[in-house]
Amino acid sequence: MSRTVYLNGEYVPEQEAMVSIFDRGFVMGDAVYEVTAVIDGKLWDFEGHVARLARSLDALEIQNPLDRETLLEIHHELIRRNPDFTDGGIYLQVSRGNAGDRDFVYPAADVAPTVVLYTQSKPGLLNDPKAKTGIKVISVPDLRWHRRDIKTVQLLYPSMAKMAAKKAKADDAWFVEDGKVTEGSSNNVYIVKDGKIITRELSHDILHGITRAAVLRMAKEAQMQVEERAFTIEEAQSADEAFFTSASAFVMPVVEVDGAKVGTGTPGKVATRLREIYLEESAKTAL
Ligand code: PMP
């Protein structure tokens, strides 16, 4: 069945959703995005995603076309209009719009941003078997630009990193810069050593994950120790546990880094507990 998607104020069948070839999102990657998890027809961590969307748009001086209430209404309307969709994510993209001929200079403020939202179904998302086995990662140099805190659609290098992982028969790639891990190709990363959760501090070097914020808050509430600092691949390999967080995988154990087993090579206690807590708490506040 064809999806109903949202494009610039209209709900249309996916085949009818057309964007101009002059759109700056298409020509220049001049666009930002968000992905909000949907479980049982409800939105997880919605407020965080709306707030980060505003920050990304602000950083790029793209006018924010929709307020929180309108965005929430569109998300809910998409869930209503796609009854087969109960679990997965809603993808949202705002580009600087169609400015006509290609020009590096931003167009005048009267060019309307292009707004697209659509559902992506992932049945059984909560019961991903990988959460039981853990995943394997390889490391690659972090060759991305230096404003990784802005969630832009410039995802070519993360795609290349994912392909490198796939070729190496791993599940994901961790980026390394100046000898330290920045983040995963599409997630924030953590190690656990002697009961302490260690994850890189927030800066322009990484995306400020919405799941990261929620998980760290919950870890502190559960009296777990958290240290925000960068770590090396060697530290990860000799850690007791490793894991990553993202809106599409929640809390995911990592059991191998560059061919070396982490801890026992099975999902660790802290990651498993944090996943349980995160799933439980997020379901309670879902919208
Ligand atoms: N870092 C990067 C590079 C990402 O692409 C993502 C996924 N959007 C994350 C971290 C995790 O962020 P979130 O928890 O908001 O999904």
Side-chain angles (χ1 to χ4, degrees), residues 33 49 52 144 151 183-188 207-212 245-248:
Y33 76 107
H49 291 286
R52 186 172 59 192
R144 298 173 302 162
K151 197 164 168 59
E183 57 188 334
S185 71
S186 59
N187 46 66
N188 293 115
L207 186 75
H208 300 192
I210 302 309
T211 321
R212 178 190 182 281
T245 63
S246 75
S248 40

Side-chain angles (χ1 to χ4, degrees), residues 37 39-46 76 281-287:
I39 300 292
D40 258 343
K42 288 193 167 174
L43 302 161
W44 281 25
D45 283 337
F46 178 76
H76 281 156
E281 292 300 312
S282 306
K284 283 187 205 158
T285 54
L287 282 179

Side-chain angles (χ1 to χ4, degrees), residues 10-266:
E10 315 261 359
Y11 294 92
V12 291
E14 61 184 40
Q15 320 79 279
E16 290 171 27
M18 302 289 174
V19 174
S20 165
I21 61 162
F22 299 111
D23 194 280
R24 286 179 63 100
F26 177 63
V27 181
M28 297 196 162
D30 189 354
V32 301
Y33 76 107
E34 284 295 330
V35 179
T36 304
V38 175
I39 300 292
D40 258 343
K42 288 193 167 174
L43 302 161
W44 281 25
D45 283 337
F46 178 76
E47 308 300 346
H49 291 286
V50 174
R52 186 172 59 192
L53 173 67
R55 286 200 304 275
S56 294
L57 290 169
D58 195 47
L60 297 177
E61 297 172 50
I62 298 176
Q63 50 168 300
N64 194 340
L66 301 166
D67 61 23
R68 176 202 172 271
E69 283 66 37
T70 313
L71 271 176
L72 184 59
E73 199 178 299
I74 297 169
H75 278 77
H76 281 156
E77 191 60 25
L78 280 175
I79 294 169
R80 263 196 295 278
R81 288 182 186 240
N82 292 282
D84 291 343
F85 170 73
T86 56
D87 296 274
I90 294 187
Y91 177 81
L92 171 164
Q93 178 172 327
V94 179
S95 83
R96 201 182 302 274
N98 169 8
D101 281 0
R102 203 174 155 272
D103 189 346
F104 279 72
V105 173
Y106 295 169
D110 61 352
V111 170
T114 301
V115 183
V116 171
L117 284 95
Y118 55 82
T119 56
Q120 291 210 140
S121 202
K122 278 198 203 160
L125 179 59
L126 272 191
N127 302 312
D128 187 342
K130 292 231 153 116
K132 296 238 156 39
T133 57
I135 65 142
K136 299 175 182 177
V137 302
I138 57 163
S139 63
V140 298
D142 198 339
L143 301 183
R144 298 173 302 162
W145 78 330
H146 286 267
R147 286 304 306 271
R148 301 156 193 159
D149 56 313
I150 309 174
K151 197 164 168 59
T152 79
V153 300
Q154 300 173 128
L155 295 173
L156 185 54
Y157 188 67
S159 272
M160 290 168 74
K162 264 275 192 215
M163 288 310 294
K166 194 173 172 191
K167 281 182 195 149
K169 302 212 178 339
D171 303 286
D172 198 12
W174 280 11
F175 295 131
V176 176
E177 184 171 63
D178 299 331
K180 301 275 171 63
V181 178
T182 52
E183 57 188 334
S185 71
S186 59
N187 46 66
N188 293 115
V189 302
Y190 309 73
I191 56 173
V192 181
K193 188 71 182 172
D194 300 328
K196 193 187 280 178
I197 300 162
I198 301 164
T199 192
R200 197 176 176 107
E201 70 280 10
L202 296 180
S203 70
H204 287 176
D205 296 342
I206 62 170
L207 186 75
H208 300 192
I210 302 309
T211 321
R212 178 190 182 281
V215 164
L216 290 187
R217 192 186 67 241
M218 291 169 194
K220 287 172 191 165
E221 282 167 7
Q223 317 298 330
M224 296 178 182
Q225 265 184 293
V226 175
E227 187 181 357
E228 294 187 53
R229 66 160 175 88
F231 56 83
T232 63
I233 287 292
E234 292 71 29
E235 262 187 291
Q237 289 172 323
S238 59
D240 302 324
E241 302 183 26
F243 63 94
F244 77 73
T245 63
S246 75
S248 40
F250 316 118
V251 178
M252 183 60 70
V254 172
V255 295
E256 197 180 297
V257 175
D258 278 343
K261 272 188 186 157
V262 179
T264 59
T266 58

